Amino acid sequence: DHRDLHSFPTRRSSDLFNKMCMFHTPAEIRAELERLLPTIRKGKYLPAMDHQTPPGTPLENYRAYVALMKEYGAQACADCKK
């Protein structure tokens, strides 16, 4: 599986985020980022949509995604300094 970062210890990836959750609720977007938090903490996740934000994504969900990425990025950086 191309998403198996354990097999490629130096690999960084932006294609881990399931962007289809962008059509759901901010809580589901948060849950997806919670799933990625261990990878974010290791510095293995490049925060980006792999190709583009899915067409038709509600603007409020995109704004929630951006706010959550800032929150989780700050949290991961703070965790790294411990």
Side-chain angles (χ1 to χ4, degrees), residues 2-71:
H2 74 286
R3 295 175 187 226
D4 179 12
L5 294 179
H6 301 293
S7 300
F8 305 95
T10 60
R11 180 167 187 237
R12 307 294 186 262
S13 184
S14 66
D15 65 348
L16 302 172
F17 179 77
N18 179 0
K19 64 187 177 186
M20 298 317 288
C21 73
M22 296 293 286
F23 294 110
H24 301 286
T25 66
E28 289 173 278
I29 296 169
R30 179 179 292 278
E32 179 62 9
L33 289 171
E34 281 288 328
R35 183 185 70 80
L36 292 174
L37 190 55
T39 303
I40 294 169
R41 284 184 175 130
K42 292 177 187 172
K44 300 266 185 174
Y45 178 68
L46 303 172
M49 297 284 171
D50 57 347
H51 298 287
Q52 68 177 9
T53 301
T57 296
L59 180 58
E60 59 272 13
N61 286 10
Y62 185 77
R63 287 181 174 150
Y65 166 78
V66 171
L68 288 165
M69 283 303 304
K70 288 178 183 179
E71 176 186 331

